[in-house]
């Protein structure tokens, strides 16, 4: 992924957008710090559809027999 300064991105916005559409995203920097990423709408749409880890767990096809029973042993004394 290439880095481009904000002032250069402003001056060459059409080129930076065309590159992103062709699959070459750019990191836009300001004063040497990474501030933003320009990527194609298609890439953004694909990345925004990735489910969270919690949603993946909730959608897992688990039956009752797949989850071990909870221990009924008493808690240990921590001495606090």
């Amino acid at each position: 992924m290439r880095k481009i300064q904000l002032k250069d991105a402003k001056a060459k916005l059409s080129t930076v957008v065309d590159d992103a559409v062709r699959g070459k995203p750019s990191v836009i920097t300001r004063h040497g710090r990474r501030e933003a990423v320009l990527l194609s709408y298609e890439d953004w749409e694909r990345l925004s559809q990735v489910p969270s880890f919690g949603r993946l767990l909730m959608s897992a096809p688990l039956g009752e027999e797949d989850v071990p029973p909870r221990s009924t042993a008493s808690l240990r004394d921590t001495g606090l």
Side-chain angles (χ1 to χ4, degrees):
M1 195 176 308
R2 76 175 181 163
K3 290 183 183 177
I4 185 169
Q5 292 181 8
L6 179 60
K7 65 178 180 159
D8 296 332
K10 286 181 186 179
K12 302 175 185 177
L13 184 59
S14 279
T15 303
V16 176
V17 170
D18 289 343
D19 288 346
V21 169
R22 282 189 232 113
K24 298 177 183 176
S26 298
V27 174
I28 299 175
T29 62
R30 187 183 324 187
H31 306 295
R33 292 187 355 241
R34 292 175 280 188
E35 296 285 341
V37 176
L38 182 72
L39 61 146
S40 70
Y41 183 79
E42 183 180 299
D43 286 345
W44 175 82
E45 205 169 38
R46 180 180 50 82
L47 291 171
S48 67
Q49 298 300 317
V50 174
S52 69
F53 184 65
R55 288 194 188 274
L56 285 173
L57 286 177
M58 294 298 290
S59 67
L62 295 175
E64 274 193 41
E65 66 278 355
D66 294 325
V67 180
R70 188 173 179 150
S71 173
T72 57
S74 61
L75 298 176
R76 61 187 169 121
D77 182 26
T78 60
L80 294 178

